[in-house]
């Protein structure tokens, strides 16, 4: 199979790393070539798992992959059990029926800027979260329904302080671009028997977490709604509420994963969600204003030309 040239704008996110923006350059039986628009990952990332995402004809496609080689600004990926529809789209594409390269890169750069702005601002949110904790803990201790609950709250600062480096890395460096899609794919892989064994504790936690997130979004109001509308227009989504990770629900979902190893009780977890929600709400106005400013900017008129397409077979010799 000869290299199948694509030049399709895409996003590649390695495990524990920030998302990389670039293009799917070509496709062969050995894998696909991905050109990074900015700096490529370091060589120690070879062998890492990665998530590949792209849009085509107003539909989103994704696949798990493995980074097997890096040469300059180009990487070779192997797809790991790609969804049949994703693979079919890649094989069907030609340079004539892919989206405009210029418009695709412009959109990609705006998404990149929004994501970078969000991660940078989450450092401020985390600082606010840790500033709020002592006062919120003291108030909650006085209102605790039991001695054991009051005792756990009393230890909470000592419990959460060592988690701070992990939170900073997760929210300000490796924040996922498509957390909702990740969750959907994980659910799709569950068997019928697994789905029958519902963990009610997790369901209750999700309900409480989602309720807190929705209250936060309502309190933010117009700035969040305006961003949703403009970001949806960027992605050419017809629905009013476009799913994106730049809102309280996805922030609290990631926080829930990071809290799991701490084995906190349900009420304490809900308390932590509430404090993080308050911190996010307090910092939301400047965040959404900055992201709206990015969305309002005109696409760059000059874009870096795509790299030449070398033969992937040379990499595999």
């Amino acid at each position: 199979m000869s290299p199948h040239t694509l030049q399709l704008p895409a996003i590649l996110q390695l495990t524990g790393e920030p998302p990389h923006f670039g293009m799917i350059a070509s496709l062969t039986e050995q894998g696909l070539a991905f050109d990074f628009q900015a700096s490529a990952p370091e060589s120690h990332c070879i062998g890492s798992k990665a998530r590949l995402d792209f849009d085509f004809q107003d539909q989103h496609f994704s696949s798990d992959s493995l980074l097997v080689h890096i040469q300059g600004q180009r990487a070779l990926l192997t797809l790991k059990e790609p969804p049949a529809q994703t693979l079919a789209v890649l094989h069907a594409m030609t340079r004539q029926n892919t989206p405009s390269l210029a418009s695709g890169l412009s959109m990609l750069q705006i998404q990149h800027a929004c994501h970078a702005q969000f991660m940078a601002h989450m450092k401020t949110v985390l600082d606010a979260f840790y500033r709020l904790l002592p006062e919120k803990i003291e108030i909650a201790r006085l209102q605790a329904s039991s001695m054991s609950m009051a005792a756990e709250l009393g230890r909470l600062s000592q419990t959460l302080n060592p988690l701070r480096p992990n939170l900073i890395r997760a929210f300000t460096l490796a924040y996922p671009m498509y957390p909702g899609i990740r969750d959907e794919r994980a659910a799709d892989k569950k068997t019928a028997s697994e789905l029958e064994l519902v963990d009610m504790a997790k369901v209750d936690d999700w309900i409480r977490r989602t309720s807190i997130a929705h209250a936060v979004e309502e309190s933010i109001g117009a700035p969040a709604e305006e961003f949703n509308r403009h970001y949806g227009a960027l992605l050419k989504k017809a629905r009013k509420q476009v799913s994106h990770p730049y809102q309280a629900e996805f922030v609290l979902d990631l926080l829930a994963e990071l809290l799991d190893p701490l084995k906190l009780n349900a009420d304490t977890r809900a308390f932590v969600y509430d404090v993080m929600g308050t911190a996010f709400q307090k910092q939301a106005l400047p965040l959404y204003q900055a992201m709206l400013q990015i969305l309002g900017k005109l696409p760059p008129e000059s874009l870096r030309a795509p790299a030449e397409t070398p033969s992937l077979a040379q990499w595999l010799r």
Side-chain angles (χ1 to χ4, degrees), residues 8-11 21-22 37 53-60 99-115 177-178 230-237 246 294-295 297-301 303:
L8 176 69
I11 296 167
F21 295 79
Q37 285 300 300
D53 290 90
F54 64 92
D55 291 317
F56 180 64
Q57 296 181 347
D58 294 334
Q59 293 187 59
H60 189 87
S100 164
L101 177 60
S103 64
L105 284 175
S106 297
M107 182 190 300
L108 211 59
Q109 288 175 337
I110 294 172
Q111 286 182 272
H112 184 194
C114 282
H115 197 77
M177 282 286 291
Y178 299 101
H230 284 280
Y231 198 74
L234 173 70
L235 301 181
K236 300 178 181 179
K237 301 295 184 183
Y246 314 123
I294 291 170
L295 291 176
K297 290 180 180 178
L298 293 176
E301 296 183 3
L303 296 166

Side-chain angles (χ1 to χ4, degrees), residues 44 124 140 267 286 306:
H44 66 78
T124 306
D267 289 337

Side-chain angles (χ1 to χ4, degrees), residues 212-225 277-278 280-282 284:
I212 292 170
H214 289 175
V216 170
E217 293 297 327
E218 288 181 5
S219 68
I220 295 170
E225 294 171 3
T278 300
F280 186 81
Q281 185 271 331
K282 287 180 178 294

